[in-house]
Amino acid sequence: MLRLAPEGLAAAADKFGPRDALSGAAWKVFEEEFTRAAALAAADAQEIAASGRFRAAVAWQNRGVLDSAIRPFLNWSPETAGRTFKQRQREELVAHYWQRFCVKNDTIGFFGPVGWGAFDTARPGVTVEPGSGPTASSEVFWSSWSVDALAREIDADPAVRPWTAPRRVPYVRLEENAVRIPARPPRPVPPETLRLLRLCDGTRSVPALQRELGPDTDVPALLDELVRLRWITWRLEVPADIRPDRRLRAALERIGEPGPRAAALARMDELESAVEGVRAAAEDPERLVAALTAVEQTFQRVTEAAAKREKSTTTAPGRAVVYSDSRRAARVTLGGDVLAALAPLDLLMSAAAWLSGALAARVSERVTEVYERLRADAGPGRPVDLAAFWFACMPVLHGAAVADAAELQAEFERRWQRVLPDTEGVRRVTVAGADIAGRVAEVFGPAAAPGWSAARYISPDVMIAAPDAAAVARGEFGLVLGELHLAANTLGNELFVNQHPDPRELFERTDRDHPAPRLMPLLPKEHKSRLSARIRHALVRPQDYQVALLDNTADPHRDRTVPSADAVVERREGRLCVVLPDGAVFPAVEVFAHVLTTLVTDRFRLLPEADHSPRVTVDRMTVARETWRFAGSALAFADDKSEARRFVRARQWRDTHELPRFVFVVSPTEPRPFFVDFDSPVYVNILAKAARRLARKDPDAQLTVTEMLPTPEQAWLTDDQGHRYSSELRLVAVTD
């Protein structure tokens, strides 16, 4: 990252004070120096853009810019052609991608590989076994939406349809002689229809159903009617999985007629052959671009669908037909002193338990009122089925519960203000964990039972701040808390489980955490709230129950998958419970587990939003980084037309507010946080552009600026060539 900050330019710029006129002979000399330095920085950006690994990484992200921006940028000579607006845009594009690849700790492809490590309390510090190169393995995966598109095209073949197993919609309840849909009166149906509906479990093809009902029943016609009534789905559905292509292939191999089966598999084989070209290309940018292009062309020909989804508010991440994930070659072992330095997490867990428990209590109280109303409406002796209960609770989950979560977060912050020393007007707050443990216990109360099973987990992202592993071994290190995800085991996500050397170990740890079966709501494959097959929770064991509420995305052959209409809600021993058809009983709050986790997972914040928040350190762990908030219009330097003046004025603005050299910036108009180095003209330009964009869209909206910690000099992780990497430790803690 530092190569895009021209040596000596910052010092030259700082010779001008806030009251100095940026004109005259001295200014002319600086402008000439700035022009030379900017040309050198542009040449460095060109060297970055020319590297094979950079172009391969961009190819995975958005290969269209390789031709539209990267190639023209490489063909440009800053010394002879000058730095035009278009070329500055292209340089900023390179810098934008570069900062994402280098310092964002994103788990994306070979430029964000996942590594696995362990604790060994008998060792000191941190031990790095670098392996060979940055990555040990890489794999190419199909996006679930692209496999679904292929399934739809195959399903359109009339010869395939009889072999597609219909499935009852999860919220359709079958009674003695009627069908009941939530919030609607029961609809009487003939016995033949009820019998067919009971057989529609996603495992029986039309010929199998015909054999069950006999030749006197026109099964296809009756299925068409049930589809029209929206009581069943009758389509080729691929269960949620990180390997949806394998799931689809297994379904196609069950087609009972050789001709349609061979034709369907041939389509898959054609696409799979194109994907093999991507795997073979590895990190060769030219071969990779050609292979990705071939995949998209083949996909369009085979499915007659667009090969890339447009970004929208309703689609999950993952717009391309295929994507890549990688495993880092290095393995890290953390010693006892690093584990001991994580001790402040105990205090944070105590506070987190209050937050999740309070939310669960409020939501439980609200949904209990819903249940009592439904029970009264149902009349004596009639059960309240889970489907009806779930739908009736929607206004709570998407209305009152959201407000409850925001209110509890504000209260959470107020309570931390009672725990910590006064933070007003200070830049550093440093406390000993032992000194505040009593106040944490007093303010947040005794440890309460988690509100739902997943609430036992917290998942902190922790960074080690040290120049190298030797410094950690000497005890010369600090820890920095990045994010603290509540009520979730983030390492249970498919992208991590799939890249663990032995996933059985993760399931064994899950058994230790949850000795008894769990009730887990089935989720849609994709959702705008960051849900996709790649981050789907994968640590689901055979003994766990899954309840299908709206979507039934599980394998229909899996045992212990229950449609919501087949479960009932009851009061037992003073609490609301869900009773499954086999008699298993679970707290009703478990049905709302994903919604509750979504509401609370990112609400761990110690300090309320303010114009300035100090760095807070407990023992050796920084639990909140120093943060500033500014309206976009407050960055007056952003509107300066001269790059040189903009750079100087940006540094003066930075000095006025005592900002560090390296920061991350979050803007409401930008898709994700971005890095800024105030010694680098290109990153100052990126910041200025973001400020202008925000000021135009909403003059009152604010940029959030947070210190970069650890700093680039504290990148301790190295590979076998001595290259240094930004990294974070993704950890999971669970309460007993």
Side-chain angles (χ1 to χ4, degrees), residues 355-356 359-360 363 397 401 405 451-459 484-490 493 520-521 523 529-530 537 589-604:
L355 183 57
S356 58
L359 178 62
V363 172
L397 300 177
W452 62 101
S453 58
R456 293 178 58 210
Y457 289 111
I458 66 166
S459 296
L484 183 64
H485 308 282
L486 304 186
N489 174 0
T490 57
N493 291 351
M520 309 179 76
L523 305 177
S529 61
R530 300 176 298 181
H537 188 75
V589 71
E590 297 296 338
V591 175
F592 309 114
H594 180 71
V595 176
L596 293 172
T597 292
T598 300
L599 287 173
V600 79
T601 190
D602 293 328
R603 291 192 180 271
F604 190 94

mmCIF file of all heavy atoms in Angstrom, residues 355-356 359-360 363 397 401 405 451-459 484-490 493 520-521 523 529-530 537 589-604:
data_model
loop_
_atom_site.group_PDB
_atom_site.id
_atom_site.type_symbol
_atom_site.label_atom_id
_atom_site.label_comp_id
_atom_site.label_asym_id
_atom_site.label_seq_id
_atom_site.Cartn_x
_atom_site.Cartn_y
_atom_site.Cartn_z
ATOM 1 N N LEU A 355 -27.714 -7.946 26.133
ATOM 2 C CA LEU A 355 -28.343 -7.380 24.939
ATOM 3 C C LEU A 355 -29.214 -8.413 24.234
ATOM 4 O O LEU A 355 -30.380 -8.151 23.921
ATOM 5 C CB LEU A 355 -27.262 -6.848 23.994
ATOM 6 C CG LEU A 355 -27.738 -6.161 22.715
ATOM 7 C CD1 LEU A 355 -28.660 -4.998 23.023
ATOM 8 C CD2 LEU A 355 -26.527 -5.684 21.906
ATOM 9 N N SER A 356 -28.664 -9.601 23.985
ATOM 10 C CA SER A 356 -29.446 -10.618 23.287
ATOM 11 C C SER A 356 -30.585 -11.130 24.166
ATOM 12 O O SER A 356 -31.696 -11.378 23.681
ATOM 13 C CB SER A 356 -28.545 -11.771 22.837
ATOM 14 O OG SER A 356 -27.881 -12.355 23.941
ATOM 15 N N LEU A 359 -33.443 -8.587 24.177
ATOM 16 C CA LEU A 359 -34.202 -8.606 22.921
ATOM 17 C C LEU A 359 -35.109 -9.834 22.866
ATOM 18 O O LEU A 359 -36.285 -9.734 22.490
ATOM 19 C CB LEU A 359 -33.257 -8.593 21.726
ATOM 20 C CG LEU A 359 -33.938 -8.653 20.357
ATOM 21 C CD1 LEU A 359 -34.835 -7.436 20.139
ATOM 22 C CD2 LEU A 359 -32.905 -8.753 19.228
ATOM 23 N N ALA A 360 -34.568 -10.991 23.250
ATOM 24 C CA ALA A 360 -35.383 -12.212 23.239
ATOM 25 C C ALA A 360 -36.582 -12.074 24.165
ATOM 26 O O ALA A 360 -37.695 -12.517 23.833
ATOM 27 C CB ALA A 360 -34.529 -13.411 23.643
ATOM 28 N N VAL A 363 -39.220 -9.750 22.478
ATOM 29 C CA VAL A 363 -39.887 -10.390 21.346
ATOM 30 C C VAL A 363 -40.773 -11.526 21.840
ATOM 31 O O VAL A 363 -41.897 -11.712 21.347
ATOM 32 C CB VAL A 363 -38.850 -10.886 20.318
ATOM 33 C CG1 VAL A 363 -39.514 -11.733 19.239
ATOM 34 C CG2 VAL A 363 -38.139 -9.696 19.677
ATOM 35 N N LEU A 397 -41.942 -9.013 14.009
ATOM 36 C CA LEU A 397 -40.546 -9.241 13.619
ATOM 37 C C LEU A 397 -40.005 -8.120 12.744
ATOM 38 O O LEU A 397 -38.818 -7.785 12.823
ATOM 39 C CB LEU A 397 -40.422 -10.578 12.900
ATOM 40 C CG LEU A 397 -40.848 -11.806 13.717
ATOM 41 C CD1 LEU A 397 -40.759 -13.058 12.874
ATOM 42 C CD2 LEU A 397 -39.979 -11.942 14.960
ATOM 43 N N ALA A 401 -40.042 -5.403 16.752
ATOM 44 C CA ALA A 401 -38.761 -5.995 17.146
ATOM 45 C C ALA A 401 -37.583 -5.176 16.638
ATOM 46 O O ALA A 401 -36.545 -5.082 17.305
ATOM 47 C CB ALA A 401 -38.661 -7.428 16.634
ATOM 48 N N ALA A 405 -34.783 -3.533 19.053
ATOM 49 C CA ALA A 405 -33.339 -3.748 18.917
ATOM 50 C C ALA A 405 -32.593 -2.414 18.937
ATOM 51 O O ALA A 405 -31.541 -2.284 19.582
ATOM 52 C CB ALA A 405 -33.037 -4.515 17.636
ATOM 53 N N GLY A 451 -30.998 -16.008 25.207
ATOM 54 C CA GLY A 451 -32.379 -15.950 24.750
ATOM 55 C C GLY A 451 -32.740 -17.040 23.765
ATOM 56 O O GLY A 451 -33.883 -17.478 23.696
ATOM 57 N N TRP A 452 -31.790 -17.481 22.971
ATOM 58 C CA TRP A 452 -31.990 -18.579 22.025
ATOM 59 C C TRP A 452 -30.649 -19.280 21.876
ATOM 60 O O TRP A 452 -29.614 -18.762 22.306
ATOM 61 C CB TRP A 452 -32.548 -18.085 20.695
ATOM 62 C CG TRP A 452 -31.696 -17.121 19.929
ATOM 63 C CD1 TRP A 452 -30.903 -17.379 18.859
ATOM 64 C CD2 TRP A 452 -31.582 -15.692 20.146
ATOM 65 N NE1 TRP A 452 -30.296 -16.240 18.390
ATOM 66 C CE2 TRP A 452 -30.696 -15.192 19.162
ATOM 67 C CE3 TRP A 452 -32.141 -14.804 21.076
ATOM 68 C CZ2 TRP A 452 -30.353 -13.843 19.097
ATOM 69 C CZ3 TRP A 452 -31.792 -13.460 21.006
ATOM 70 C CH2 TRP A 452 -30.921 -12.983 20.026
ATOM 71 N N SER A 453 -30.637 -20.470 21.305
ATOM 72 C CA SER A 453 -29.428 -21.300 21.348
ATOM 73 C C SER A 453 -28.234 -20.624 20.684
ATOM 74 O O SER A 453 -27.115 -20.683 21.204
ATOM 75 C CB SER A 453 -29.696 -22.665 20.707
ATOM 76 O OG SER A 453 -30.124 -22.526 19.361
ATOM 77 N N ALA A 454 -28.444 -19.964 19.550
ATOM 78 C CA ALA A 454 -27.323 -19.306 18.867
ATOM 79 C C ALA A 454 -26.788 -18.125 19.655
ATOM 80 O O ALA A 454 -25.645 -17.697 19.430
ATOM 81 C CB ALA A 454 -27.742 -18.852 17.475
ATOM 82 N N ALA A 455 -27.579 -17.594 20.595
ATOM 83 C CA ALA A 455 -27.128 -16.449 21.386
ATOM 84 C C ALA A 455 -26.023 -16.827 22.357
ATOM 85 O O ALA A 455 -25.421 -15.946 22.979
ATOM 86 C CB ALA A 455 -28.309 -15.830 22.137
ATOM 87 N N ARG A 456 -25.724 -18.098 22.500
ATOM 88 C CA ARG A 456 -24.597 -18.515 23.333
ATOM 89 C C ARG A 456 -23.270 -18.151 22.680
ATOM 90 O O ARG A 456 -22.239 -18.138 23.336
ATOM 91 C CB ARG A 456 -24.647 -20.022 23.565
ATOM 92 C CG ARG A 456 -25.841 -20.472 24.415
ATOM 93 C CD ARG A 456 -25.851 -21.982 24.555
ATOM 94 N NE ARG A 456 -24.616 -22.444 25.144
ATOM 95 C CZ ARG A 456 -24.058 -23.636 24.888
ATOM 96 N NH1 ARG A 456 -24.640 -24.454 24.048
ATOM 97 N NH2 ARG A 456 -22.937 -23.991 25.481
ATOM 98 N N TYR A 457 -23.302 -17.871 21.375
ATOM 99 C CA TYR A 457 -22.060 -17.590 20.651
ATOM 100 C C TYR A 457 -21.802 -16.097 20.541
ATOM 101 O O TYR A 457 -22.727 -15.292 20.405
ATOM 102 C CB TYR A 457 -22.140 -18.137 19.222
ATOM 103 C CG TYR A 457 -22.104 -19.635 19.093
ATOM 104 C CD1 TYR A 457 -23.231 -20.334 18.682
ATOM 105 C CD2 TYR A 457 -20.941 -20.352 19.351
ATOM 106 C CE1 TYR A 457 -23.210 -21.714 18.529
ATOM 107 C CE2 TYR A 457 -20.911 -21.728 19.206
ATOM 108 C CZ TYR A 457 -22.040 -22.401 18.799
ATOM 109 O OH TYR A 457 -22.004 -23.762 18.654
ATOM 110 N N ILE A 458 -20.531 -15.722 20.587
ATOM 111 C CA ILE A 458 -20.097 -14.449 20.023
ATOM 112 C C ILE A 458 -18.909 -14.757 19.122
ATOM 113 O O ILE A 458 -18.146 -15.695 19.375
ATOM 114 C CB ILE A 458 -19.705 -13.392 21.078
ATOM 115 C CG1 ILE A 458 -18.461 -13.821 21.862
ATOM 116 C CG2 ILE A 458 -20.855 -13.064 21.992
ATOM 117 C CD1 ILE A 458 -17.846 -12.686 22.653
ATOM 118 N N SER A 459 -18.775 -13.987 18.056
ATOM 119 C CA SER A 459 -17.704 -14.228 17.085
ATOM 120 C C SER A 459 -16.905 -12.948 16.882
ATOM 121 O O SER A 459 -17.289 -12.087 16.080
ATOM 122 C CB SER A 459 -18.289 -14.713 15.760
ATOM 123 O OG SER A 459 -18.922 -15.965 15.921
ATOM 124 N N LEU A 484 -17.429 -7.467 16.497
ATOM 125 C CA LEU A 484 -17.884 -8.504 17.425
ATOM 126 C C LEU A 484 -19.297 -8.881 17.001
ATOM 127 O O LEU A 484 -20.238 -8.111 17.175
ATOM 128 C CB LEU A 484 -17.871 -7.993 18.863
ATOM 129 C CG LEU A 484 -18.251 -9.019 19.930
ATOM 130 C CD1 LEU A 484 -17.228 -10.143 19.966
ATOM 131 C CD2 LEU A 484 -18.337 -8.372 21.297
ATOM 132 N N HIS A 485 -19.428 -10.049 16.394
ATOM 133 C CA HIS A 485 -20.724 -10.506 15.890
ATOM 134 C C HIS A 485 -21.435 -11.273 17.000
ATOM 135 O O HIS A 485 -20.902 -12.244 17.535
ATOM 136 C CB HIS A 485 -20.531 -11.399 14.666
ATOM 137 C CG HIS A 485 -19.681 -10.770 13.610
ATOM 138 N ND1 HIS A 485 -20.159 -9.802 12.752
ATOM 139 C CD2 HIS A 485 -18.378 -10.955 13.279
ATOM 140 C CE1 HIS A 485 -19.187 -9.423 11.939
ATOM 141 N NE2 HIS A 485 -18.100 -10.106 12.242
ATOM 142 N N LEU A 486 -22.626 -10.836 17.326
ATOM 143 C CA LEU A 486 -23.382 -11.446 18.411
ATOM 144 C C LEU A 486 -24.296 -12.547 17.888
ATOM 145 O O LEU A 486 -24.794 -12.485 16.762
ATOM 146 C CB LEU A 486 -24.230 -10.391 19.123
ATOM 147 C CG LEU A 486 -23.510 -9.170 19.685
ATOM 148 C CD1 LEU A 486 -24.487 -8.308 20.473
ATOM 149 C CD2 LEU A 486 -22.343 -9.572 20.558
ATOM 150 N N ALA A 487 -24.523 -13.536 18.744
ATOM 151 C CA ALA A 487 -25.517 -14.587 18.504
ATOM 152 C C ALA A 487 -25.277 -15.337 17.202
ATOM 153 O O ALA A 487 -26.223 -15.710 16.505
ATOM 154 C CB ALA A 487 -26.925 -13.989 18.523
ATOM 155 N N ALA A 488 -24.013 -15.560 16.879
ATOM 156 C CA ALA A 488 -23.707 -16.271 15.637
ATOM 157 C C ALA A 488 -22.336 -16.918 15.731
ATOM 158 O O ALA A 488 -21.402 -16.333 16.279
ATOM 159 C CB ALA A 488 -23.742 -15.310 14.441
ATOM 160 N N ASN A 489 -22.246 -18.108 15.204
ATOM 161 C CA ASN A 489 -20.960 -18.772 14.999
ATOM 162 C C ASN A 489 -20.576 -18.522 13.550
ATOM 163 O O ASN A 489 -20.995 -19.252 12.647
ATOM 164 C CB ASN A 489 -21.091 -20.271 15.290
ATOM 165 C CG ASN A 489 -19.826 -21.044 14.955
ATOM 166 O OD1 ASN A 489 -18.837 -20.484 14.496
ATOM 167 N ND2 ASN A 489 -19.850 -22.340 15.175
ATOM 168 N N THR A 490 -19.798 -17.484 13.301
ATOM 169 C CA THR A 490 -19.484 -17.127 11.914
ATOM 170 C C THR A 490 -18.617 -18.181 11.235
ATOM 171 O O THR A 490 -18.626 -18.284 10.008
ATOM 172 C CB THR A 490 -18.781 -15.756 11.843
ATOM 173 O OG1 THR A 490 -17.593 -15.784 12.641
ATOM 174 C CG2 THR A 490 -19.690 -14.652 12.336
ATOM 175 N N ASN A 493 -20.157 -20.807 8.813
ATOM 176 C CA ASN A 493 -20.554 -20.495 7.450
ATOM 177 C C ASN A 493 -19.904 -21.476 6.468
ATOM 178 O O ASN A 493 -18.773 -21.917 6.656
ATOM 179 C CB ASN A 493 -20.155 -19.069 7.079
ATOM 180 C CG ASN A 493 -20.961 -18.033 7.837
ATOM 181 O OD1 ASN A 493 -21.931 -18.362 8.509
ATOM 182 N ND2 ASN A 493 -20.556 -16.780 7.751
ATOM 183 N N MET A 520 -33.897 -25.498 14.001
ATOM 184 C CA MET A 520 -33.274 -24.442 13.204
ATOM 185 C C MET A 520 -34.217 -24.065 12.066
ATOM 186 O O MET A 520 -34.637 -24.932 11.285
ATOM 187 C CB MET A 520 -31.926 -24.917 12.658
ATOM 188 C CG MET A 520 -31.022 -25.497 13.738
ATOM 189 S SD MET A 520 -29.441 -26.102 13.109
ATOM 190 C CE MET A 520 -28.579 -24.548 12.854
ATOM 191 N N PRO A 521 -34.585 -22.796 11.952
ATOM 192 C CA PRO A 521 -35.459 -22.389 10.844
ATOM 193 C C PRO A 521 -34.740 -22.507 9.506
ATOM 194 O O PRO A 521 -33.570 -22.138 9.383
ATOM 195 C CB PRO A 521 -35.785 -20.928 11.172
ATOM 196 C CG PRO A 521 -34.685 -20.469 12.064
ATOM 197 C CD PRO A 521 -34.229 -21.666 12.829
ATOM 198 N N LEU A 523 -33.863 -21.321 5.912
ATOM 199 C CA LEU A 523 -33.765 -19.985 5.331
ATOM 200 C C LEU A 523 -33.821 -20.059 3.818
ATOM 201 O O LEU A 523 -33.488 -21.088 3.225
ATOM 202 C CB LEU A 523 -32.455 -19.334 5.766
ATOM 203 C CG LEU A 523 -32.220 -19.272 7.272
ATOM 204 C CD1 LEU A 523 -30.854 -18.677 7.560
ATOM 205 C CD2 LEU A 523 -33.307 -18.461 7.952
ATOM 206 N N SER A 529 -30.167 -9.515 2.820
ATOM 207 C CA SER A 529 -29.448 -9.318 4.083
ATOM 208 C C SER A 529 -28.261 -10.271 4.174
ATOM 209 O O SER A 529 -28.143 -11.065 5.094
ATOM 210 C CB SER A 529 -30.389 -9.529 5.270
ATOM 211 O OG SER A 529 -30.895 -10.856 5.268
ATOM 212 N N ARG A 530 -27.406 -10.222 3.172
ATOM 213 C CA ARG A 530 -26.114 -10.908 3.172
ATOM 214 C C ARG A 530 -26.237 -12.431 3.219
ATOM 215 O O ARG A 530 -25.323 -13.125 3.659
ATOM 216 C CB ARG A 530 -25.232 -10.435 4.337
ATOM 217 C CG ARG A 530 -24.930 -8.965 4.293
ATOM 218 C CD ARG A 530 -24.140 -8.531 5.504
ATOM 219 N NE ARG A 530 -24.876 -8.752 6.730
ATOM 220 C CZ ARG A 530 -24.423 -8.445 7.941
ATOM 221 N NH1 ARG A 530 -23.224 -7.917 8.073
ATOM 222 N NH2 ARG A 530 -25.143 -8.663 9.014
ATOM 223 N N HIS A 537 -25.259 -21.214 7.056
ATOM 224 C CA HIS A 537 -24.738 -21.972 8.186
ATOM 225 C C HIS A 537 -24.708 -23.453 7.826
ATOM 226 O O HIS A 537 -25.731 -24.048 7.477
ATOM 227 C CB HIS A 537 -25.597 -21.753 9.430
ATOM 228 C CG HIS A 537 -25.001 -22.347 10.666
ATOM 229 N ND1 HIS A 537 -23.932 -21.776 11.326
ATOM 230 C CD2 HIS A 537 -25.290 -23.478 11.354
ATOM 231 C CE1 HIS A 537 -23.601 -22.520 12.365
ATOM 232 N NE2 HIS A 537 -24.415 -23.565 12.403
ATOM 233 N N VAL A 589 -39.094 -19.482 20.719
ATOM 234 C CA VAL A 589 -38.168 -18.433 20.290
ATOM 235 C C VAL A 589 -37.159 -18.958 19.284
ATOM 236 O O VAL A 589 -36.619 -18.195 18.460
ATOM 237 C CB VAL A 589 -37.457 -17.813 21.518
ATOM 238 C CG1 VAL A 589 -36.450 -18.787 22.121
ATOM 239 C CG2 VAL A 589 -36.789 -16.496 21.150
ATOM 240 N N GLU A 590 -36.891 -20.283 19.283
ATOM 241 C CA GLU A 590 -35.922 -20.836 18.336
ATOM 242 C C GLU A 590 -36.381 -20.665 16.895
ATOM 243 O O GLU A 590 -35.561 -20.609 15.974
ATOM 244 C CB GLU A 590 -35.674 -22.316 18.629
ATOM 245 C CG GLU A 590 -35.049 -22.600 19.984
ATOM 246 C CD GLU A 590 -33.647 -22.007 20.136
ATOM 247 O OE1 GLU A 590 -32.993 -21.742 19.110
ATOM 248 O OE2 GLU A 590 -33.218 -21.805 21.287
ATOM 249 N N VAL A 591 -37.692 -20.592 16.682
ATOM 250 C CA VAL A 591 -38.210 -20.409 15.328
ATOM 251 C C VAL A 591 -37.808 -19.040 14.779
ATOM 252 O O VAL A 591 -37.663 -18.859 13.570
ATOM 253 C CB VAL A 591 -39.741 -20.576 15.322
ATOM 254 C CG1 VAL A 591 -40.327 -20.272 13.951
ATOM 255 C CG2 VAL A 591 -40.117 -21.977 15.751
ATOM 256 N N PHE A 592 -37.613 -18.095 15.680
ATOM 257 C CA PHE A 592 -37.247 -16.738 15.269
ATOM 258 C C PHE A 592 -35.739 -16.499 15.360
ATOM 259 O O PHE A 592 -35.282 -15.353 15.288
ATOM 260 C CB PHE A 592 -37.975 -15.715 16.146
ATOM 261 C CG PHE A 592 -39.453 -15.931 16.233
ATOM 262 C CD1 PHE A 592 -40.061 -16.294 17.427
ATOM 263 C CD2 PHE A 592 -40.243 -15.778 15.107
ATOM 264 C CE1 PHE A 592 -41.416 -16.496 17.504
ATOM 265 C CE2 PHE A 592 -41.616 -15.982 15.172
ATOM 266 C CZ PHE A 592 -42.205 -16.349 16.371
ATOM 267 N N ALA A 593 -34.964 -17.568 15.508
ATOM 268 C CA ALA A 593 -33.537 -17.422 15.797
ATOM 269 C C ALA A 593 -32.817 -16.590 14.754
ATOM 270 O O ALA A 593 -32.034 -15.693 15.087
ATOM 271 C CB ALA A 593 -32.890 -18.800 15.928
ATOM 272 N N HIS A 594 -33.057 -16.871 13.476
ATOM 273 C CA HIS A 594 -32.319 -16.130 12.448
ATOM 274 C C HIS A 594 -32.709 -14.658 12.447
ATOM 275 O O HIS A 594 -31.849 -13.779 12.290
ATOM 276 C CB HIS A 594 -32.565 -16.729 11.065
ATOM 277 C CG HIS A 594 -31.841 -16.001 9.979
ATOM 278 N ND1 HIS A 594 -30.469 -16.074 9.832
ATOM 279 C CD2 HIS A 594 -32.273 -15.151 9.008
ATOM 280 C CE1 HIS A 594 -30.098 -15.317 8.813
ATOM 281 N NE2 HIS A 594 -31.164 -14.745 8.300
ATOM 282 N N VAL A 595 -33.999 -14.379 12.618
ATOM 283 C CA VAL A 595 -34.441 -12.984 12.647
ATOM 284 C C VAL A 595 -33.810 -12.261 13.833
ATOM 285 O O VAL A 595 -33.297 -11.136 13.702
ATOM 286 C CB VAL A 595 -35.976 -12.911 12.726
ATOM 287 C CG1 VAL A 595 -36.429 -11.456 12.848
ATOM 288 C CG2 VAL A 595 -36.598 -13.563 11.504
ATOM 289 N N LEU A 596 -33.808 -12.900 14.991
ATOM 290 C CA LEU A 596 -33.226 -12.278 16.180
ATOM 291 C C LEU A 596 -31.732 -12.049 16.001
ATOM 292 O O LEU A 596 -31.197 -10.993 16.367
ATOM 293 C CB LEU A 596 -33.490 -13.149 17.403
ATOM 294 C CG LEU A 596 -34.952 -13.256 17.844
ATOM 295 C CD1 LEU A 596 -35.104 -14.299 18.939
ATOM 296 C CD2 LEU A 596 -35.475 -11.912 18.319
ATOM 297 N N THR A 597 -31.042 -13.034 15.447
ATOM 298 C CA THR A 597 -29.607 -12.873 15.209
ATOM 299 C C THR A 597 -29.347 -11.731 14.240
ATOM 300 O O THR A 597 -28.445 -10.911 14.443
ATOM 301 C CB THR A 597 -29.000 -14.180 14.678
ATOM 302 O OG1 THR A 597 -29.036 -15.163 15.720
ATOM 303 C CG2 THR A 597 -27.557 -13.983 14.230
ATOM 304 N N THR A 598 -30.153 -11.651 13.181
ATOM 305 C CA THR A 598 -29.989 -10.559 12.219
ATOM 306 C C THR A 598 -30.191 -9.205 12.891
ATOM 307 O O THR A 598 -29.475 -8.233 12.601
ATOM 308 C CB THR A 598 -30.980 -10.720 11.056
ATOM 309 O OG1 THR A 598 -30.733 -11.971 10.402
ATOM 310 C CG2 THR A 598 -30.826 -9.596 10.046
ATOM 311 N N LEU A 599 -31.142 -9.135 13.815
ATOM 312 C CA LEU A 599 -31.431 -7.867 14.496
ATOM 313 C C LEU A 599 -30.316 -7.442 15.435
ATOM 314 O O LEU A 599 -30.090 -6.245 15.650
ATOM 315 C CB LEU A 599 -32.738 -7.974 15.276
ATOM 316 C CG LEU A 599 -34.030 -7.986 14.462
ATOM 317 C CD1 LEU A 599 -35.221 -8.260 15.366
ATOM 318 C CD2 LEU A 599 -34.217 -6.664 13.726
ATOM 319 N N VAL A 600 -29.598 -8.407 16.010
ATOM 320 C CA VAL A 600 -28.671 -8.079 17.094
ATOM 321 C C VAL A 600 -27.205 -8.224 16.712
ATOM 322 O O VAL A 600 -26.332 -7.655 17.366
ATOM 323 C CB VAL A 600 -28.980 -8.959 18.330
ATOM 324 C CG1 VAL A 600 -28.417 -10.365 18.181
ATOM 325 C CG2 VAL A 600 -28.489 -8.314 19.605
ATOM 326 N N THR A 601 -26.901 -8.963 15.640
ATOM 327 C CA THR A 601 -25.520 -9.410 15.426
ATOM 328 C C THR A 601 -24.514 -8.274 15.284
ATOM 329 O O THR A 601 -23.375 -8.393 15.735
ATOM 330 C CB THR A 601 -25.444 -10.352 14.211
ATOM 331 O OG1 THR A 601 -24.150 -10.955 14.151
ATOM 332 C CG2 THR A 601 -25.736 -9.604 12.901
ATOM 333 N N ASP A 602 -24.915 -7.155 14.688
ATOM 334 C CA ASP A 602 -23.972 -6.052 14.465
ATOM 335 C C ASP A 602 -24.229 -4.862 15.386
ATOM 336 O O ASP A 602 -23.811 -3.736 15.099
ATOM 337 C CB ASP A 602 -24.035 -5.589 13.005
ATOM 338 C CG ASP A 602 -23.519 -6.643 12.044
ATOM 339 O OD1 ASP A 602 -22.614 -7.406 12.438
ATOM 340 O OD2 ASP A 602 -24.022 -6.715 10.912
ATOM 341 N N ARG A 603 -24.886 -5.093 16.517
ATOM 342 C CA ARG A 603 -25.248 -3.979 17.401
ATOM 343 C C ARG A 603 -24.311 -3.824 18.590
ATOM 344 O O ARG A 603 -24.596 -3.050 19.497
ATOM 345 C CB ARG A 603 -26.695 -4.138 17.882
ATOM 346 C CG ARG A 603 -27.704 -3.950 16.765
ATOM 347 C CD ARG A 603 -29.110 -3.820 17.281
ATOM 348 N NE ARG A 603 -30.061 -3.649 16.205
ATOM 349 C CZ ARG A 603 -30.430 -2.477 15.690
ATOM 350 N NH1 ARG A 603 -29.908 -1.359 16.167
ATOM 351 N NH2 ARG A 603 -31.315 -2.418 14.714
ATOM 352 N N PHE A 604 -23.198 -4.537 18.576
ATOM 353 C CA PHE A 604 -22.266 -4.381 19.693
ATOM 354 C C PHE A 604 -21.425 -3.128 19.450
ATOM 355 O O PHE A 604 -20.510 -3.108 18.620
ATOM 356 C CB PHE A 604 -21.355 -5.602 19.814
ATOM 357 C CG PHE A 604 -20.549 -5.594 21.088
ATOM 358 C CD1 PHE A 604 -21.013 -6.259 22.210
ATOM 359 C CD2 PHE A 604 -19.349 -4.907 21.176
ATOM 360 C CE1 PHE A 604 -20.285 -6.241 23.397
ATOM 361 C CE2 PHE A 604 -18.618 -4.880 22.347
ATOM 362 C CZ PHE A 604 -19.086 -5.552 23.457
#
